[in-house]
Amino acid sequence: MKSVTSGKVLDNTFSAGHKIDEVRVETHKFQFLYNDGEGYHFMNTEDYSQIALQVESLDAPDLLKEGEVVTILINSEDQAPLSVDMPASVILEVTHTEPGVKGNTATNATKPATVETGASVNVPLFINEGDKIKVETEKGTYKERVKE
């Protein structure tokens, strides 16, 4: 059994006549608008209604850039947001990183880089400022360089 709100998986055995209350949930696409320090604001892409979510309900808030589309699970009865599903990966621009020194490593070494959202991601030495990279949102790790 998996909790929809926290994502925790519980090992539970139910007896034969046990009743379980059903909860109807809906998924909606929302576009990230902005963060005002108190919450993250999203707009429904279908009816343009807006909601604000606390940072605790987001898995990787530091990887969200304005305009990013996420899927939000909503309880149909009280319209309360239950969870936020981020895209599997996001494309972000590197805003700051130290220049990589070639030749001082035997294996694939990495260096820290700051992306446009302010998050820090370890990237290979060949990544420079201004490069666009694909970041895996689940782990917050570098996936590949994106060429445009």
Side-chain angles (χ1 to χ4, degrees), residues 16-75:
H18 198 82
K19 298 271 186 206
I20 298 174
D21 294 332
E22 290 185 17
V23 176
R24 186 167 167 230
V25 294
E26 298 174 351
T27 59
H28 293 284
K29 298 279 186 196
F30 280 81
Q31 182 179 18
F32 175 60
L33 297 176
Y34 61 93
N35 170 18
D36 64 0
E38 294 179 16
Y40 286 77
H41 296 265
F42 295 88
M43 176 184 67
N44 190 325
T45 57
E46 296 166 5
D47 64 6
Y48 307 110
S49 62
Q50 293 185 15
I51 61 169
L53 299 175
Q54 299 301 315
V55 68
E56 296 84 28
S57 60
L58 299 168
D59 293 333
D62 53 344
L63 295 176
L64 264 179
K65 70 176 182 178
E66 292 180 4
E68 197 71 48
V69 176
V70 298
T71 304
I72 300 181
L73 232 63
I74 296 179
N75 185 339

Side-chain angles (χ1 to χ4, degrees), residues 79-146:
Q79 297 301 313
L82 300 172
S83 70
V84 178
D85 292 333
M86 300 261 302
S89 61
V90 291
I91 296 171
L92 300 170
E93 184 177 338
V94 176
T95 55
H96 176 74
T97 187
E98 297 296 325
V101 180
K102 225 176 186 182
N104 65 351
T105 150
T107 60
N108 51 353
T110 60
K111 61 182 180 179
T114 305
V115 293
E116 61 187 291
T117 60
S120 182
V121 178
N122 284 332
V123 297
L125 296 176
F126 61 82
I127 298 294
N128 299 311
E129 287 185 17
D131 287 352
K132 294 205 183 263
I133 60 172
K134 187 179 274 191
V135 179
E136 199 174 319
T137 55
E138 191 173 319
K139 300 175 188 165
T141 55
Y142 167 85
K143 198 168 186 182
E144 63 186 354
R145 179 165 51 177
V146 177

